[in-house]
């Protein structure tokens, strides 16, 4: 440890010297630390397509309809989840970021109605019908504008 007389020093210099003495061991440890490693494998590029926003909304609608049809015990309740799986298989392929975004949108739609409706009510039936219509409109728009 340093033996320095601080009696005749200016207070600012005293504080600075104290900080320097205290920081010395910390600064010395930093020199022995290995340099931060860079990622050797670059993350895959995030793929986006012009209709991703509409596709995400469609996924959200599918999640909403799936929840509402299951809640109201409508025929073919699982067809909406199966439709979402087909959408993921055909649209995302080897693009995990897109798959995650679409899955999150589906789950968001499902949870939005799960937090509001616990019983099948007239309002739930109306909401399901409106969302089904919106989903049909979105699917038509996407395929007519961006389809092969």
């Amino acid at each position: 440890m340093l033996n320095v007389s601080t009696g005749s020093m200016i207070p600012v210099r005293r504080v600075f010297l104290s900080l320097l003495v205290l920081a010395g061991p910390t600064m010395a440890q930093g020199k022995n630390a290995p340099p931060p490693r860079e990622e050797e494998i670059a993350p895959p590029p995030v793929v986006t397509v012009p209709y991703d926003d509409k596709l995400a909304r469609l996924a959200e609608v599918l999640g909403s309809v799936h929840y509402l049809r299951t809640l109201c015990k409508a025929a073919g309740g699982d067809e909406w989840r199966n439709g979402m799986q087909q959408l993921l298989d055909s649209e995302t392929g080897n693009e995990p970021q897109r798959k995650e975004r679409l899955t999150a949108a589906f789950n968001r739609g499902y949870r939005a109605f799960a937090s509001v409706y616990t019983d099948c009510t007239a309002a739930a039936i109306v909401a399901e019908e409106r969302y089904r219509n919106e989903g049909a409109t979105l699917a038509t728009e996407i395929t007519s504008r961006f389809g092969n």
Side-chain angles (χ1 to χ4, degrees):
M1 189 100 186
L2 262 160
N3 186 7
V4 177
S5 170
T6 58
S8 62
M9 293 184 146
I10 306 174
V12 174
R13 285 188 183 168
R14 240 186 277 169
V15 170
F16 179 72
L17 183 59
S18 299
L19 289 175
L20 189 61
V21 168
L22 291 175
T26 306
M27 294 171 79
Q29 287 175 359
K31 291 180 183 177
N32 294 334
R37 291 180 27 192
E38 292 185 27
E39 288 294 324
E40 295 168 4
I41 301 172
V46 176
V47 178
T48 58
V49 293
Y51 54 91
D52 262 355
D53 290 339
K54 288 187 182 281
L55 207 58
R57 179 62 186 154
L58 178 60
E60 195 171 337
V61 167
L62 287 172
S64 299
V65 172
H66 174 63
Y67 175 78
L68 291 169
R69 289 189 67 87
T70 303
L71 179 69
C72 291
K73 297 176 183 28
D78 279 346
E79 73 184 44
W80 299 95
R81 184 174 27 147
N82 295 339
M84 181 62 194
Q85 187 60 52
Q86 289 174 353
L87 178 72
L88 288 173
D89 293 342
S90 65
E91 281 295 322
T92 60
N94 294 330
E95 301 163 352
Q97 291 89 1
R98 285 185 73 217
K99 186 174 185 174
E100 288 175 17
R101 283 195 307 262
L102 292 177
T103 302
F106 180 87
N107 291 338
R108 186 173 45 251
Y110 186 93
R111 288 184 190 120
F113 280 96
S115 68
V116 175
Y117 294 104
T118 57
D119 294 319
C120 183
T121 62
I125 294 169
V126 169
E128 185 270 333
E129 183 180 339
R130 288 182 180 165
Y131 271 70
R132 248 187 316 116
N133 291 336
E134 182 184 353
T137 302
L138 281 166
T140 301
E141 286 176 3
I142 291 169
T143 55
S144 67
R145 184 163 180 206
F146 301 102
N148 291 335

